[in-house]
Amino acid sequence: RSDCASSVAQTSDGGYAVAGYTDSFGAGWSDFFVLKLASDGSFEWARTFGGSSNDYAYSIVQTSDGGYAVAGPAGSFGSGYDFLVLKLSSDGSLEWAKAFGGSGDDYAYSIVQTSDGGYAVAGPTDSFGAGGDDFLVLKLSSDGSLEWAKAFGGSDGDYAYSIVQTSDGGYAVAGETFSFGAGNADLLLLKLSSDGSLEWAKTFGGSSHDWAYSIVQTSDGGYAVAGPTESFGAGWDLFLLKLSSDGS
């Protein structure tokens, strides 16, 4: 059986919260699996969440009230896979759960708490957008209600993997695109305003396969983006980009 960790966050007490999925415990095939560890790595508690199908937790953040928000794709609720967002209390008890999606498969890969106490969630969608898969970004209120949803992409596959809120209240989203760029797959970086409107989009890559798994905003207002590259280096290599605030 498989038990896989996907995301870790340091907690305000100096410990750690870990999210992933488990085939060993829970209600069905795979379930969301959340662990709380002390500062020395000792075990404090574990929780599973899910239904009779496959549910995978890919991202966790500690929230301003000391609890946790967890996101990932869930096959147990809705049609196909949907974005599933859980809000947990500080002891891991479930406060609310929200599923979002359409008739296709929608995978939540990244969640952040926003400055207004809500949440932004990003991942690829096969239910909405221009065709194939597209970037899907959701803005939720503090109780998980949907405020807005935006899809971005072209006629081929475009996959969002990481989101951050930016210092101006907007969002930066990173992933991969087969619709745009130099060839095969390229890194795709979007900058959105606070209401989800597209401010700019940038692609980076070569003739082979390159994509971004993680983005952070840097202290100078720019961005650092990381992922694998097959276009540059000795084979499959780490691709690390430092960008200015306008994505250049």
Side-chain angles (χ1 to χ4, degrees):
R1 289 182 175 271
S2 298
D3 306 292
C4 298
S6 303
S7 180
V8 63
Q10 188 169 31
T11 54
S12 55
D13 62 0
Y16 305 91
V18 185
Y21 54 93
T22 177
D23 292 339
S24 301
F25 312 101
W29 289 98
S30 292
D31 288 301
F32 277 41
F33 197 26
V34 180
L35 304 179
K36 174 63 173 68
L37 308 179
S39 58
D40 63 359
S42 57
F43 175 79
E44 294 187 348
W45 51 257
R47 302 281 188 263
T48 62
F49 307 92
S52 59
S53 189
N54 288 315
D55 310 296
Y56 305 101
Y58 284 149
S59 184
I60 189 169
V61 291
Q62 188 172 39
T63 53
S64 55
D65 62 0
Y68 306 94
V70 189
S76 297
F77 316 99
S79 176
Y81 283 94
D82 288 312
F83 280 38
L84 180 61
V85 179
L86 306 182
K87 174 61 175 69
L88 310 180
S89 66
S90 59
D91 67 358
S93 301
L94 181 63
E95 294 184 352
W96 50 256
K98 303 283 185 175
F100 306 91
S103 59
D105 289 330
D106 311 291
Y107 284 72
Y109 276 120
S110 183
I111 187 170
V112 292
Q113 188 170 37
T114 53
S115 55
D116 62 1
Y119 305 93
V121 191
T125 176
D126 193 36
S127 300
F128 312 103
D133 283 275
D134 288 294
F135 279 39
L136 180 61
V137 179
L138 305 183
K139 174 61 174 71
L140 310 180
S141 65
S142 59
D143 66 0
S145 302
L146 181 64
E147 295 185 351
W148 51 256
K150 303 284 185 176
F152 306 91
S155 58
D156 291 323
D158 308 292
Y159 305 90
Y161 295 134
S162 182
I163 188 169
V164 291
Q165 189 171 36
T166 53
S167 55
D168 63 359
Y171 304 94
V173 190
E176 68 176 315
T177 178
F178 288 88
S179 298
F180 313 103
N184 203 326
D186 287 300
L187 280 73
L188 178 59
L189 175 62
L190 305 183
K191 173 61 173 70
L192 310 180
S193 65
S194 59
D195 66 359
S197 302
L198 181 64
E199 295 184 351
W200 51 255
K202 304 283 184 175
T203 62
F204 304 91
S207 60
S208 194
H209 201 159
D210 316 290
W211 68 93
Y213 273 143
S214 183
I215 185 170
V216 294
Q217 190 170 36
T218 52
S219 57
D220 63 359
Y223 304 95
V225 187
T229 177
E230 195 181 23
S231 298
F232 311 104
W236 281 106
D237 288 291
L238 170 66
F239 200 19
L240 179 62
L241 305 181
K242 171 62 174 72
L243 309 176
S244 64
S245 59
D246 64 1
S248 58

